[in-house]
Amino acid sequence: MKKKLLITLGALVALLLVAYLCLAFFLGSIVKAGVNAIGPKITGTKMELAGAQISPLDGHGTLSGLAIGNPQGWSNANAFYLGKVHVEMKPFSVFGDHIVVDEIEIDQPEILYETKVVSSNIGDLLKNIETATSSSNAEARTKTGQPLKFEVKHFVMKNGKVTVGVGVAALPLPLPPIELNNLGTNEGGITSSQLAFAVMRSVTTSVISATTQAAGKIGGTMGAAAGDAAKKAGESLKKLFERKK
């Protein structure tokens, strides 16, 4: 009798383990598919997530290989590439209509910043996201058809690099760390495009700051031209930010 009980308990534990592994696997696949489907509608560009691993019991997860392409009119390179993104969320909240994320940590992101007279690739990307905030077609939705709401307690991006320009004139620069708190908390949750805009606004400001500060320290035409273009692009973006307040 005791032996049968042990065998039964062993089989039950094995079954639970298999169920958990399957849930974790399929949850990662769901997140990956969701990002790849909704992402391009928000950014208006190519966007692809290579992989996602999410633990439903403790809410820890890792997104890997997130590439966001340039808007039309710019080079074919990626505007952003995030090798790994660590996520901590409330366990099982991913299955609800209000996802609570305790922390998002992005380490060593790679950003490409291209400028023209009064525009930039990052600025155009931000404008695409702004347009998405007014379109219901770009939002992630629940099974009932309502927009999925997000709340991010802590967001940090560190050890980043921004490359100004492409080709032989490309100039790599360190990116100041970015830290944001309580995104969507006061609003009771915000949509996916609103979250993307809030993060991108801070990233854009940091990119412009890094570019203009470096240009002031670099002698020669390349530094002056980069600084002037960044300043004009920044003024254009400032107007965009003011419209969103």
Side-chain angles (χ1 to χ4, degrees), residues 130-230:
E130 183 200 24
T131 300
T133 62
S134 60
S135 172
S136 59
N137 296 326
E139 301 296 354
R141 294 185 172 276
T142 65
K143 293 181 179 179
T144 61
Q146 296 298 314
L148 192 62
K149 293 298 183 71
F150 296 86
E151 183 179 343
V152 179
K153 300 293 188 180
H154 186 222
F155 173 91
V156 60
M157 190 167 76
K158 59 184 182 179
N159 302 320
K161 179 183 72 173
V162 54
T163 299
V164 182
V166 293
V168 296
L171 178 65
L173 301 170
L175 186 68
I178 298 170
E179 188 169 4
L180 302 170
N181 294 300
N182 298 320
L183 295 171
T185 300
N186 294 333
E187 299 88 342
I190 54 179
T191 66
S192 52
S193 58
Q194 288 171 334
L195 176 60
F197 187 89
V199 172
M200 276 294 299
R201 179 165 55 185
S202 294
V203 171
T204 303
T205 302
S206 185
V207 167
I208 294 173
S209 175
T211 304
T212 52
Q213 287 181 20
K217 298 177 182 178
I218 298 173
T221 305
M222 182 177 69
D228 186 56

Side-chain angles (χ1 to χ4, degrees), residues 2-234:
K2 184 177 180 180
K3 184 177 180 181
K4 289 183 179 179
L5 179 59
L6 290 175
I7 292 175
T8 301
L9 289 174
L12 181 59
V13 170
L15 182 61
L16 290 173
L17 180 60
V18 170
Y20 171 76
L21 292 175
C22 289
L23 180 59
F25 174 79
F26 285 113
L27 182 55
S29 299
I30 290 171
V31 171
K32 176 183 174 180
V35 170
N36 290 341
I38 300 298
K41 295 179 181 179
I42 295 176
T43 63
T45 68
K46 177 189 73 176
M47 183 172 177
E48 184 175 1
L49 178 65
Q53 293 180 331
I54 305 292
S55 172
L57 292 184
D58 58 19
H60 293 181
T62 300
L63 310 182
S64 57
L66 178 61
I68 303 175
N70 257 337
Q72 286 187 337
W74 302 94
S75 72
N76 294 326
N78 289 322
F80 286 80
Y81 181 77
L82 312 179
K84 285 188 177 181
V85 180
H86 177 70
V87 180
E88 294 185 13
M89 65 180 68
K90 296 296 182 186
F92 291 101
S93 72
V94 71
F95 296 111
D97 57 4
H98 185 136
I99 298 178
V100 179
V101 181
D102 290 323
E103 184 173 49
I104 299 177
E105 181 181 287
I106 303 175
D107 192 22
Q108 298 181 334
E110 299 176 11
I111 301 174
L112 175 64
Y113 185 48
E114 301 179 51
T115 60
K116 294 178 182 177
V117 179
V118 291
S119 63
S120 69
N121 64 327
I122 303 300
D124 285 353
L125 187 62
L126 191 63
K127 290 177 183 178
N128 288 351
I129 296 173
E130 183 200 24
T131 300
T133 62
S134 60
S135 172
S136 59
N137 296 326
E139 301 296 354
R141 294 185 172 276
T142 65
K143 293 181 179 179
T144 61
Q146 296 298 314
L148 192 62
K149 293 298 183 71
F150 296 86
E151 183 179 343
V152 179
K153 300 293 188 180
H154 186 222
F155 173 91
V156 60
M157 190 167 76
K158 59 184 182 179
N159 302 320
K161 179 183 72 173
V162 54
T163 299
V164 182
V166 293
V168 296
L171 178 65
L173 301 170
L175 186 68
I178 298 170
E179 188 169 4
L180 302 170
N181 294 300
N182 298 320
L183 295 171
T185 300
N186 294 333
E187 299 88 342
I190 54 179
T191 66
S192 52
S193 58
Q194 288 171 334
L195 176 60
F197 187 89
V199 172
M200 276 294 299
R201 179 165 55 185
S202 294
V203 171
T204 303
T205 302
S206 185
V207 167
I208 294 173
S209 175
T211 304
T212 52
Q213 287 181 20
K217 298 177 182 178
I218 298 173
T221 305
M222 182 177 69
D228 186 56
K231 182 179 179 180
K232 291 179 179 178

Side-chain angles (χ1 to χ4, degrees), residues 201 240-245:
R201 179 165 55 185
L240 176 62
F241 296 154
E242 290 173 347
R243 291 203 305 269
K244 291 295 292 182
K245 290 182 179 179

